[in-house]
Amino acid sequence: MTVLIVGGSGFLGTELVRQASAAGYVTAATYATRPGSVAEATWYDLDLRDEGRVEEVVASLAPCLIINASSGSADWAVTAEGPIRLAVTAAKHNCRLVHVSSDAVFSGTRVHYDESCLPDPLSPYGAAKAAAETGIRLLAPDAAIARTSLIIGGIQSEHVRLVHDLATGCRTGSLFTDDIRCPVHVGDLAAALLELASTDARGVHHLAGPDAVSRHGLGVLIAQRDGLDASRLPEGLRAATALPGALDVRLDCRATQVKLRTRLRGVHEFL
């Protein structure tokens, strides 16, 4: 069974490639700039804006499963249109598709969001992610869409790097005390995605940790784990900035969690 990890050189993608290879899958992965570090995988360059290249890669591999872990930030052509191209191609070649989405699709107005809640994004990134979800559900209705939150692990995580840089004075900025999410460990998330992919689940699923924490609170936990001085982490209020996006978004993952053997740990446990 061949598994294709799109965005395999990224933080989540690297862990997906590692776990898929360890589980005995024939693993292929794509990259936008340079191949990833997992030697067991076969690497392919792929720009999701290039419809012809998407078709070429999928047709040549004929994977049973495609997991899209790519991230194009607020680039509409990559983050919104790219996954839709991938969904069309996956459906054409009868490939199982699991697409990784984000809690950024929500405004935070209601704070707690389960899988039945409709997207109402406030940021360009959230709007692009919401558009991708809509297109995938329409064009590949058998696909599974997994919304997640802040992905935490080692220093490869952008959130962990930020905490290290702020604590050591390598970067200026602040960690918001009013910006609340439900972080998830990268290993837990990758395992849950692979397990979800092995089922016939379709539609939207939530995969995040059960603990809600502010960005600053998360930073303190990371600093304590890594032996940094947490008192050096500057605090701030997101509400006092012009940054677009929600303040408090908590994914309710209970409906998805009961279907999985993989346990999504809370940040207070894994940190």
Side-chain angles (χ1 to χ4, degrees), residues 6-115:
V6 177
S9 60
F11 179 52
L12 173 59
T14 297
E15 181 64 16
L16 281 165
V17 172
R18 187 193 68 78
Q19 289 195 24
S21 299
Y25 293 110
V26 177
T27 307
T30 74
Y31 63 92
T33 54
R34 59 181 178 274
S37 58
V38 183
E40 292 80 4
T42 304
W43 292 91
Y44 297 83
D45 64 287
L46 180 65
D47 184 339
L48 285 176
R49 296 170 295 184
D50 186 340
E51 182 178 355
R53 181 59 177 161
V54 172
E55 168 67 25
E56 180 183 2
V57 170
V58 173
S60 66
L61 290 170
C64 294
L65 167 65
I66 300 173
I67 301 180
N68 180 26
S70 63
S71 176
S73 299
D75 187 326
W76 188 268
V78 177
T79 303
E81 297 173 1
I84 295 173
R85 292 188 190 93
L86 186 63
V88 170
T89 306
K92 175 182 175 181
H93 293 277
N94 197 30
C95 304
R96 168 76 163 144
L97 175 64
V98 175
H99 171 75
V100 180
S101 190
S102 167
D103 58 11
V105 301
F106 295 123
S107 69
T109 302
R110 58 183 296 163
V111 179
H112 298 276
Y113 292 87
D114 64 19
E115 289 86 346

Side-chain angles (χ1 to χ4, degrees), residues 13 17 60 120 129 132 148:
V17 172
S60 66
D120 59 342
K129 280 291 192 180
T148 192

Side-chain angles (χ1 to χ4, degrees), residues 93-222:
H93 293 277
N94 197 30
C95 304
R96 168 76 163 144
L97 175 64
V98 175
H99 171 75
V100 180
S101 190
S102 167
D103 58 11
V105 301
F106 295 123
S107 69
T109 302
R110 58 183 296 163
V111 179
H112 298 276
Y113 292 87
D114 64 19
E115 289 86 346
S116 68
C117 296
L118 297 177
D120 59 342
L122 295 178
S123 68
Y125 173 68
K129 280 291 192 180
E133 286 189 11
T134 300
I136 291 169
R137 296 187 74 177
L138 176 65
L139 299 169
D142 290 332
I145 296 169
R147 295 184 185 131
T148 192
S149 191
L150 306 183
I151 307 174
I152 309 300
I155 196 65
Q156 297 84 5
S157 165
E158 63 176 297
H159 309 293
V160 174
R161 287 198 306 272
L162 174 61
V163 170
H164 278 243
D165 288 348
L166 289 173
T168 56
C170 295
R171 197 189 312 191
T172 60
S174 60
L175 296 174
F176 300 129
T177 57
D178 59 346
D179 188 335
I180 299 171
R181 298 293 186 272
C182 295
V184 63
H185 191 277
V186 65
D188 296 348
L189 178 57
L193 287 167
L194 287 167
E195 183 181 351
L196 186 68
S198 70
T199 72
D200 59 0
R202 54 188 287 180
V204 176
H205 304 269
H206 285 180
L207 297 175
D211 298 340
V213 65
S214 72
R215 300 262 184 172
H216 185 268
L218 173 62
V220 169
L221 291 172
I222 291 171

